[in-house]
Amino acid sequence: MSKVIENKITKRQYIFILISAVVGIGILSAPNSICQKAEQSGWISMFIGCLYPLTITYCAYLCYKNLGFIDFYTLNEKIYGKFFSKIISIFFMLTITIYSSSVLAGFYNVLSKEITIFLQPSIIVTIVSLTIVFTASFGLQSLGRLSEIVFYFSSLLFLFPLFTIKRGDITNILPIISSFEKILSSIPASFYSYAGIEISFFILPYVISKKNIKYAGFTSSIIIALIYTLLTFLTIYYLGFELTTKIYYPVLFIMETIEISIISDFKIIFIFLWSGIILKILACDYFVISYVFSKLTHIPYKKSCFITWPFVMMFTIFMIPEHGRNVFLENTLPYIVYTVLIYSITTAIISKLKVMKGV
Amino acid sequence: MEHLSKNIYQNINKIISHMPNSSTLVKREILINKKTKCFIIYVTNLCNRKSIELHIISPLLNKVKEDLETIENPAEYIMQNYLSVSEAQIINHLDNITVELLRGKCLILIDKSTQAILCDTSDIPHRNIQESNVEKTLRGGRECFVENIEINLALIQNKVKSNKLRIERLILGTENNADAAIIYLDGVIDPIVLDTVKFKLNKIKKLPYILCTGYIEQLIEDFPYGFFPQLKNTEKPDKVVSDLFQGKAAILISGAPYALVAPAVFIEFFQGFEDYSQRILTSVFVRLTRILSAMLVLLATPIYLCVLSYTTAIVPIKLIKVIYNSRIGIPLPPFLEILTMEVAVELLREGGLRLPTPIGQTLGIVGGIVIGEAATKAGLVSPTTLVVVSTTVIASFLIPNYEMALSIRFLRFPMLILAHMFGLLGVILGFYLIVIILINMNSFGIPYFAPFAPLNYSDLKDTVIRFPLDKILRKPKSLKIKKGKI
């Protein structure tokens, strides 16, 4: 058995890992995608979108509560049998690979435009991904500690955009409700911003104290929703929804306007500090990839980390062209998100039925 | 077991065979009551001769009137009735006799007796207790440890007048048989931590020789190749006592004027002992300054290199103009310029370290000024680079623990190389890797980055900030290993 399986995390670390797995590069562009349809009410859609993480974390809790806190692979085996458990594991592995590759590719795009113009994409992707492999190889306990510490230090970063309150214009967010139809139609787009919460299925069994674990999932979902909603609201409040929809990274654009006497471009400092968050989300995703791979192949976890590395690298290189990535994600993400949603609800229901039947 | 025989000469020969080349071994022969042959054996420069003459030889020669051959246990009889030494014991074998004699003990062999008396007459030459030259404190006790373990133990015992204090002795090194001791407070230290310390010390017992705490430190730490010190080395007894009350164990070894304290967590190395004697706000300010200085040592030169070479846009145009103008005519590229200065500083510092204090200080100041001035005048180094490098050098002096300061100073070189290779990304990744290493390290089962990761709110009261003493004078929760702790 790989070392990571023996690792345990606290409830607090569970909350922070969930936050880490969702809040990443996507948050920098989330206001852009959400305002396309919801306009100035994008922040409302963003908040309603937290139904997705709430559902996923609650379903994960129900599944494990009903069938005992066994690991993800065994859970699927109990419900769907050996063959389908393998298929489901592969699906999740691919899903998280897509998430992590798109985050890494997005991170490369931001870095290459702002601070590492002189480096080849292959070099950036290689060194960043190797750092991630190294981080993930320490296992879940290490991720728990990392997520905990990075969250506290990075909380300050979420507060930086608050300076826009002074400069923004209230008319940018008025009328508060553009139209109910627009808000509802953009909710699916907000679901995609919360992608990554699926990690809940993989780490929940390793939480030491299962007491009130349901609320830990809710807490993390609400914290994520508040961060996303706050940033979307401040972006619209400061830039207006029209400008927000025209800038791909509106949050970065806001950072650029922060004036500090000794720093000419605060955006670079923000990226510098934000990198910690990106590396953390990548490490969380990479943990799931290696974990599932280890379960499927019975290769020890540490070795799995290194074996899966070229696979993730390949995906990332494929994802680097920004337009291609967006098209790919636009076409795949909805299917992934809905499949995960259906899987979670179905699994929760079946697990309940199994308990009722006394299996 | 090598038992004593009734033949006194046989016994002496056995002792001599254990210490064949000892020219300092004294074998004083006397006749008790003009009849019974007796030998008093000791190592001359380790014993108090006057004490031997007064409390052993004189009573044996002048006071004993009984015929010892008629007494069943003559050694025991003599010890109980005639010897006026404070510590004496009966032995019936010669195991460890070399070690005992070299500890300054005196052996009394009596003819036709299978027992001998071992008296403590030790008077091993030692340095007097002095003020520390390395760990200067503004407020607090001045005394520091010496090379004599007994004095060191006395210094600790004098400060902890508690029935919880435990001192467990052990011998380290099969060749040098160094006396060592584990000191802890029973009921305060976590039993798992204590067992780990004992287990690790027992593991290194069989090594041929262990000379000082530095040897023990490297042999028992969890990550010998790690960058950071995992045990605290201190020469101040009051620091050791403070750590004992926090649930730690101290290790002393004869010949070393230092104590090792285990376990140790990262943040402790940035806390000074006098922090607790100062006003709360000033001590918080000082601690923040230390953390800032560590960050400066680690990041200032790599970020400066990035600004010079890659990410110029980060600083305002006026500032970048000043930096660039100062570099006009400098033949070395920024990386080599900074590296040269850093290496020069390290040379000066290492050079000054080995020299006597006044000369060392002069070398540091004069060398720094002269070389810096000459290098800028010669056009090898720009004044701004000199300012940045010298700021990091001064910043490194703020870290109160020498080992930690050394580790952080060392780490700035890989950081500089990473910055040179990958720009700001290299700095980010380097810093991130340091954090990863820190959060995955343990010191005797205690997470090294505690109480930050895993987070313990109550222990945060004495980290970078410091709460009032009545809130923090207790055992930290992070130093307790709970079942299933992460």
Side-chain angles (χ1 to χ4, degrees), chain B residues 290-337:
Chain B
R290 287 184 199 134
I291 298 291
L292 183 73
S293 69
M295 300 292 265
L296 265 177
V297 177
L298 208 60
L299 299 172
T301 42
I303 290 179
Y304 174 67
L305 177 65
C306 290
V307 169
L308 277 183
S309 306
Y310 309 113
T311 327
T312 318
I314 202 169
V315 286
I317 192 81
K318 280 183 185 171
L319 186 59
I320 202 74
K321 259 187 181 176
V322 173
I323 297 171
Y324 268 82
N325 285 338
S326 74
R327 290 208 75 252
I328 292 171
I330 306 289
L332 292 172
F335 172 65
L336 280 181
E337 184 195 0

Side-chain angles (χ1 to χ4, degrees), chain A residues 8-10 12-13 111 115-116 118-119 123-124 127-128 131 134-135 138 141-142 145-146 148-149 152 208 261-265 268-269 272 275 279-280 283, chain B residues 303 310-317 319 421-425 427-429 432-433 435-437 439-442 447 449 452-457 484-486:
Chain A
K8 294 283 175 193
I9 52 170
T10 59
R12 204 165 45 211
Q13 286 172 348
L111 287 177
I115 57 174
T116 50
F118 58 97
L119 284 178
I123 294 174
I124 297 180
I127 56 167
V128 173
T131 310
F134 177 72
T135 310
F138 286 105
Q141 176 181 293
S142 165
R145 288 180 185 178
L146 180 72
E148 201 170 13
I149 193 163
Y152 286 110
I208 294 172
S261 52
I262 200 165
I263 294 155
S264 70
D265 191 353
I268 295 174
I269 301 292
F272 181 76
S275 304
L279 293 169
K280 188 184 63 172
Chain B
I303 290 179
Y310 309 113
T311 327
T312 318
I314 202 169
V315 286
I317 192 81
L319 186 59
M421 287 170 73
F422 308 115
L424 267 183
L425 178 67
V427 181
I428 297 162
L429 294 181
Y432 179 79
L433 286 174
V435 173
I436 294 296
I437 290 166
I439 62 173
N440 282 296
M441 275 172 70
N442 287 307
F449 212 45
F452 302 113
L455 193 81
N456 191 310
Y457 288 114
K485 180 177 170 138
I486 32 81

Side-chain angles (χ1 to χ4, degrees), chain A residues 262-288:
Chain A
I262 200 165
I263 294 155
S264 70
D265 191 353
F266 187 76
K267 189 174 59 181
I268 295 174
I269 301 292
F270 183 77
I271 295 168
F272 181 76
L273 300 171
W274 196 261
S275 304
I277 296 175
I278 303 297
L279 293 169
K280 188 184 63 172
I281 186 175
L282 286 169
C284 289
D285 287 346
Y286 204 81
F287 162 76
V288 177

Side-chain angles (χ1 to χ4, degrees), chain B residues 272-287:
Chain B
F273 185 67
E274 63 268 26
D275 291 357
Y276 301 97
S277 308
Q278 286 171 346
R279 313 283 314 152
I280 298 169
L281 290 178
T282 47
S283 64
V284 169
F285 172 72
V286 171
R287 283 185 180 185

